[in-house]
Amino acid sequence: MEELLAGLRAIAETTRLRLLFVLSHGEFNVSELIQILGQSQPRVSRHLKLMAEAGLLSRYKEGSWVLFRLREQARGGALARAIVDLLPASDSLLASDLARLEEIRRQRSEAATDYFRKNAENWEKLRSLHVREEDVEAAMLRLAGWSPLGAYLDLGTGTGRVLKLFSPQAQHAIGVDSSREMLAVARANLDPDRNRNIQVRHGDIYALPFPNASADFITIHQVLHYLDEPIRALTEAARVLKPGGRLMIVDFAPHELEEMRERHAHRRLGIAADHMFGWLERAGLGLDQCEVLPPPSRNGSQGLTVSIWLASRPAQPRALARNRAAAAVAG
């Protein structure tokens, strides 16, 4: 009862109702909310603080940014969404807020498009060297199965493509990336009306901002070959996985294309199967399945093979050796 009353008291003010309305359309930082509402930073920040403390909003820090959105779960989130549903769509003040919100979205999209335009050449060349993205994604979906995924994390989410791929099966999906530019692209790619269970966060793959045993399913897609210490990333992913939770890794098999180091900043020219087996074992994970997708034939030129590994965090440590042996036979 007290929690509900605290939430109702925190909502009972015009500016806070406007903030709830705006944040029901997605996540925004304080600077953007100031632009939308046309109010001072101290005033907006005070209202946000009160509503966050009352459990109506979720607050995330990304470097110098603080992002807010309606709380996804618990009684506070349910109350916030119920109040938003009661707000009159014809209200002129809310209509003006929505117009300014859409202008900010347009600016985000233009910035993301410009970033893509400047970097598209490298990405398109890289994609032409290996299996079509559609074929890789189909294999990922098949290996993951079609059952609900629960709490889903995509580490090194980039443009958010894989995050969107699995989000329909997830209760909630969060993409993490260390590049704010790529997160801007991901946010521009997400439709807030169709992808309400998706969030993206700035974070370090070596130090994830999530508690132990909090994720049911994790993907790491074309990320490990950039890292100095892949084992650290896998160990951190294992920490976040629940017992019985699954980790899917997609990366290149070993190759000899030195230009990947010189032009695309790859630290490793692919990842060998025995290396992956060893890393997973050290991270306390068992390998369940492995699939290899050969490159397309392009006039006899060398291409890149894509490997997909599906691992899990066993409920019992002794299951590790059995899982590894079974996966080796299946491979």
Side-chain angles (χ1 to χ4, degrees), residues 17 27 39 55 63 77 114 235 243 272 311:
L17 286 173
E27 61 184 19
Q39 297 188 8
D114 183 59
T235 301

Side-chain angles (χ1 to χ4, degrees), residues 283-302:
L285 299 171
L287 181 65
D288 299 323
Q289 290 180 272
C290 177
E291 184 160 330
V292 176
L293 304 177
S297 175
R298 298 187 183 276
N299 300 321
S301 61
Q302 184 180 12

Side-chain angles (χ1 to χ4, degrees), residues 113-127:
T113 299
D114 183 59
Y115 184 78
F116 251 139
R117 187 182 300 116
K118 291 177 180 177
N119 294 275
E121 182 180 354
N122 286 347
W123 281 324
E124 291 306 316
K125 182 171 181 181
L126 185 59
R127 286 173 181 162

Side-chain angles (χ1 to χ4, degrees), residues 159-188:
T159 63
R161 178 164 176 158
V162 171
L163 184 67
K164 289 175 67 177
L165 179 71
F166 284 106
S167 64
Q169 295 173 245
Q171 181 180 3
H172 55 270
I174 302 177
V176 179
D177 205 287
S178 61
S179 168
R180 289 186 173 84
E181 292 82 4
M182 294 306 290
L183 288 175
V185 173
R187 288 193 176 100

Side-chain angles (χ1 to χ4, degrees), residues 220 222-227 230 233-234 249 251 268 271 276:
I220 305 178
Q222 299 291 11
V223 173
L224 294 184
H225 61 255
Y226 288 107
L227 303 182
L234 295 177
I249 304 159
D251 221 302
R268 288 172 169 74
I271 297 175
M276 181 61 71

